[in-house]
Structure formats: C-alpha cells, structure tokens
Amino acid sequence: MRSSRGLSMLMLLMVALLPVVVGARPAGAETSAAPEQVLHRGDRGDAVARLQQMLADAGFNPGPVDGIFGPLTEGAVRAAQTGFSLKIDGLAGPLTLSRLQIAAASGVQPAASRAMAPVEAPVEAPVEGTPPTVGAPHLFALTFNGDPDPVLLPQILASLKKYGMQATFFVHGEAAENAPALVASVVAGGHEVASGGYTARDLTQVSEVLMGADLYRASQSIAKATGKTPAFFRPQDGKFNAGLLQAAREQHVKLALWTNIGLNDWPGLDPQDLAQGLAGTVTSGAIVMLHQDRPTTVKALEAVLQALRSGGYQSVALSRLMAP
C-alpha cells in the first residue's frame, strides 16, 4: 500500500485519477482525512480563496474568488452544507471542506447544487392506499451492500417490484462466482449490479498491484454472471486512498459511496425506526445504502419504499442518477 503524504497531495491525485461519485463516507474515515482549519465570515487569505474555488467547482456560487469570506461565500457554504446534509452553520469546518474537496475533484455535483431534469420514471400502478405521484418524481439511488442471500434477496426484489423502484446491488466477485444465478436474478429484475471488490476486505491495506488485480477479477466475475460489466465500485466500509482511486480508474469503475450516515440497517436496529429515519431524510440525488444480507432490511424495506413513494420519490439505478 502507498500511504498518502498529506491531504493536499491526496486531493491533487484524486483530481487527476478518477471521477468519484459523491457520497458520504463513514464518519471516522471522513474526519481523519479532513483538514483541521475552520473558516468563517471575515476570514481572508489563500485558504479562503481555495475554499471559494472548491465551492465554485462543486457548483455553488461563492461570488468572486478573491480570498475574502464575505456574505456570498457564506451563502455558498450554507448551500453546500444543505446539499451534503451537514449541520448548517455557515462555517467551513473539516467535514464541509472534506465533502467539497471530493465534490470538486469529481466534478459530480450534489443534488442541491444542480437542477434535476424531470424524468418520467416507469412505475407500476399505485399500491392500494398509496396516492399516485403528482408531477415529475424526485430521483434518488437505492443501493445495497453485501452478498445476495438466497432467502432475503427474492423478498427484496419482490418489494422493489411492488413499489416500482429500481436499485443498484454492490456484490463481491466471489459471490458472483459462487452463486451466479442469484446475482443474475438482480439484473433479470431490472436492477443494476456493481462491484464490491472480489472479497470483503480493506483494499487500502494491500499493494496497488493487488488492488488492480482484485478489481479486475471482481468485474470479470460479475460480467460473467450478469452479462454486464459493472460501472461502479464501492470499497469495504467506504475506505479508499489514492492508490485505490488509481486502480479503479485503470479498471474503468467509478468509486461510489453513500449519503445516509448513521441510518444504516445495523443489527439490532428496530425496522420501524430505520424506515422512519430513512423516509424522513432522503432528498433528491441521495445515494441510500442498505445491506441486502440483513433481515432488518427486509423487515423495513416495504415501509421505507411506501413512505418514499407517497412522498413523490423514485429510486433509479445509480448509473441513471449520475448520468450527465
């Protein structure tokens, strides 16, 4: 593994190496990579100019890039915090700066900074008791981590079909080899299969040669099972570094994270709490992550989908959500 020599070098590499699908990393990994400074209204200097440039690159208008943290810059910071589902305080702290750096490097703007073009998503007839969606739906991506379970996956696919939702399933290449028919059933159901690497391991702990070999083998196995080469890759626990970004670029997969920090279907979480939490926080352009191999998911999924459907939300494949 080649360790990062510093945040600035990492971000320069990220710009050069790979478009990154913007999502949220686990809080621990995000904080450790974030800058320590906190910028606020009234500050001046190069750090403010860099903040303004990142805001502009991420699709938020800070006014002139002049190194002066004035009202326009503060408004852009608040808009970015809204788009990233962060605490809205107008201060450009470590989390805000980290998200902006990833967004600026990737060129993919969060939903709050770009207009979502109306798309007529194909949905089935409204479920009994659910009012039909009026107007264009609010699009988001529903994604699943983990390997398909022969008991749970058919139930998940049935729920998605019932509510006319499309999803992206991140699976390991090893699972595609061991259960190709099960993985193929995802595509047969109208959904998308993406890569979780070949096995469930932290690829930041191996050499770049092994990173590339792992991603290549995973893509080949998934393509053999589904007939389609995966376009996206999600690293174990959301951990990545410059070497993994380079390997992903060479293997033609885009790194995709997620936005629902703290609202995953961890063991022991009450399914109703999960359903209410997700339904209340999903926004247009969100990338929601659940675990397809946990019973909590199946128990909560119908309630989640029904609430989102009633609120005018439509889940689509990640490739469709991130299409230019």
Side-chain angles (χ1 to χ4, degrees):
M1 178 186 76
R2 183 178 64 192
S3 60
S4 172
R5 295 183 177 178
L7 177 63
S8 58
M9 182 62 70
L10 172 60
M11 294 315 303
L12 286 173
L13 286 169
M14 289 175 68
V15 172
L17 299 179
L18 178 72
V20 178
V21 176
V22 176
R25 284 182 288 164
E30 193 169 57
T31 303
S32 65
E36 295 301 324
Q37 73 266 34
V38 176
L39 301 173
H40 52 81
R41 187 168 177 174
D43 285 345
R44 295 169 176 257
D46 292 341
V48 174
R50 287 193 294 272
L51 165 65
Q52 291 170 327
Q53 189 60 59
M54 285 191 295
L55 286 165
D57 291 343
F60 302 97
N61 181 15
V65 180
D66 56 6
I68 302 173
F69 198 131
L72 291 178
T73 300
E74 182 181 13
V77 168
R78 290 180 180 274
Q81 290 168 336
T82 299
F84 296 128
S85 299
L86 299 176
K87 178 181 178 182
I88 303 172
D89 55 14
L91 303 178
L95 285 179
T96 301
L97 291 170
S98 176
R99 300 288 183 84
L100 281 171
Q101 287 165 335
I102 295 174
S106 70
V108 180
Q109 301 169 357
S113 69
R114 56 187 167 91
M116 298 293 292
V119 178
E120 294 184 3
V123 297
E124 296 183 347
V127 177
E128 183 177 355
T130 303
T133 300
V134 177
H138 306 294
L139 302 184
F140 74 102
L142 178 60
T143 68
F144 292 91
N145 280 11
D147 293 329
D149 181 274
V151 175
L152 300 179
L153 178 60
Q155 297 178 58
I156 292 173
L157 295 177
S159 294
L160 293 171
K161 182 177 180 180
K162 178 179 178 180
Y163 290 94
M165 299 288 189
Q166 191 178 26
T168 301
F169 290 74
F170 287 84
V171 304
H172 297 110
E174 187 176 47
E177 292 177 357
N178 294 336
L182 200 57
V183 174
S185 70
V186 173
V187 175
H191 307 288
E192 182 174 49
V193 174
S195 172
Y198 185 72
T199 59
R201 64 171 174 170
D202 180 1
L203 288 177
T204 65
Q205 301 302 308
V206 304
S207 69
E208 292 182 24
V209 172
L210 290 179
M211 290 175 185
D214 185 286
L215 296 182
Y216 173 80
R217 188 177 180 186
S219 291
Q220 292 296 305
S221 299
I222 292 170
K224 184 176 180 180
T226 65
K228 297 182 179 180
T229 302
F232 298 96
F233 161 64
R234 177 169 286 169
Q236 184 73 14
D237 299 324
K239 297 178 181 178
F240 66 93
N241 58 18
L244 187 53
L245 289 169
Q246 172 69 10
R249 178 179 180 274
E250 292 174 352
Q251 296 304 320
H252 308 291
V253 287
K254 296 179 181 179
L255 187 137
L257 303 178
W258 59 93
T259 58
N260 52 311
I261 293 178
L263 286 172
N264 301 115
D265 44 344
W266 303 117
L269 179 65
D270 180 76
Q272 193 59 39
D273 290 342
L274 172 64
Q276 292 177 353
L278 285 177
T281 57
V282 172
T283 59
S284 293
I287 302 175
V288 175
M289 186 272 283
L290 295 173
H291 295 84
Q292 62 171 306
D293 52 357
R294 292 180 181 167
T296 305
T297 301
V298 175
K299 294 178 182 178
L301 189 57
E302 287 235 356
V304 171
L305 297 180
Q306 184 172 32
L308 292 173
R309 174 78 172 270
S310 299
Y313 286 91
Q314 174 67 44
S315 176
V316 296
L318 188 58
S319 58
R320 180 176 174 185
L321 184 73
M322 304 313 301

